[in-house]
Amino acid sequence: MESTQKVGVLLANLGTPEAPTAKAVKAFLGEFLHDKRVVDMTRWLWCPLLHGIILPVRAPKVAKLYASVWMDEGSPLLVHSKRQKMALEAALNLPVELGMTYGSPSLASGVDALRARGCEKILVFPLYPQYSRTTTAAIFDKLATSLKQHPALPELRFINHYFSEDTYIEALARSVELQWEANGKPDMLVCSYHGIPKRFADNGDPYAEHCQETTIKLAARLNTEVPVKMTYQSRFGREEWLQPYTDKTLEVLPSEGVERIDIITPAFSVDCLETLEEIAEQNRDIFITAGGKTYNYIPCLNDSPAHIEMMCHLVERHTKGW
């Protein structure tokens, strides 16, 4: 593939606060939780609740959690995303830029950077293997809104999902196998996915189906006697979310004779607060306190060679004929 094609790739992810401070987290969460794709409550009810109670209370607490995982170069999500961007650009010999749905760098700045590099055609690559209205669709909305300011639009293609791609499943399987080669096999492999309100799935969001298919294909590829269990994490608010919940599951597994588990987060393309703090720390404490003996978190694919190879495969296929 030649760079003279003037095709560029926009890697899109959710975003992150600019600093592990209450002020920065409040700004980030304010933008995130204002999105109707994420919270669809009536605005006149939601906005006073968000700004009067949730953000003032939650921002300082979340800032402390971010501080516990913050890296020397910055937020883990942004650090790993930048590494992905550099590795993918080197492998493809195409311009690649980052854009976040919330926070910085924005989707609009990513598009502007690609156009400044001469890209007339842009492949939008949301780093969400499983489609959801709360993630992939939110990128589409934000990008469409930002492009309203452009007098001339670039030609766009959009990757909707890749939850069952063979190269994605292979990358996940290799990360599990490397863990097992180093530490032995556990009593159970837990696949923890970010949750969404059950109501969204009931109304047609295919996210749960995509997560199930990923888990089934991963288990088939591993072809092992180790049981594979699927759960959902990171619920927010009082309404019912997709179940079984990760934390509640980990509370009961030791009583069922499961003392050694490995846990992987297939819905996350890079390590972030929800994987490094919630899964690797909080949920470890839950499992060990409940009587578990060994708990190993398997990192996200990040910029691993197998992940970059998978991304190259998708880009090459979606830009074919362009």
Side-chain angles (χ1 to χ4, degrees), residues 143-162:
L143 186 60
T145 299
S146 69
L147 288 175
K148 288 180 180 180
Q149 310 303 319
H150 288 249
L153 297 179
E155 188 174 342
L156 297 174
R157 289 185 181 179
F158 194 92
I159 298 178
N160 209 43
H161 53 69
Y162 52 96

Side-chain angles (χ1 to χ4, degrees), residues 257-308:
V258 179
E259 295 184 339
R260 300 175 64 251
I261 69 166
D262 289 346
I263 188 164
I264 189 171
T265 53
F268 295 87
S269 62
V270 294
D271 276 308
C272 55
L273 182 70
E274 288 82 359
T275 65
L276 297 173
E277 198 282 327
E278 182 182 357
I279 293 298
E281 296 181 19
Q282 286 187 32
N283 282 274
R284 178 194 298 275
D285 291 343
I286 290 171
F287 181 70
I288 299 300
T289 299
K293 304 300 182 185
T294 304
Y295 180 103
N296 292 316
Y297 167 62
I298 301 174
C300 291
L301 296 176
N302 294 319
D303 61 336
S304 65
H307 198 200
I308 299 303

Side-chain angles (χ1 to χ4, degrees), residues 88-103:
L88 185 61
E89 183 164 305
L92 287 171
N93 192 29
L94 285 178
V96 180
E97 295 291 346
L98 287 176
M100 303 294 172
T101 315
Y102 318 103

Side-chain angles (χ1 to χ4, degrees), residues 10 43 67 83 86 132 196 199 243 247 280 299 305:
L10 179 65
R43 297 293 99 174
R83 293 174 183 173
M86 291 186 291
S132 173
I196 62 171
R199 172 171 51 88
Q243 295 192 45
D247 54 356

Side-chain angles (χ1 to χ4, degrees), residues 5-9 95 111 113-122 154:
Q5 287 181 297
K6 294 186 178 179
V7 173
V9 180
V111 170
L114 287 171
R115 300 197 77 176
R117 298 175 70 180
C119 298
E120 300 169 352
K121 302 175 181 181
I122 298 175

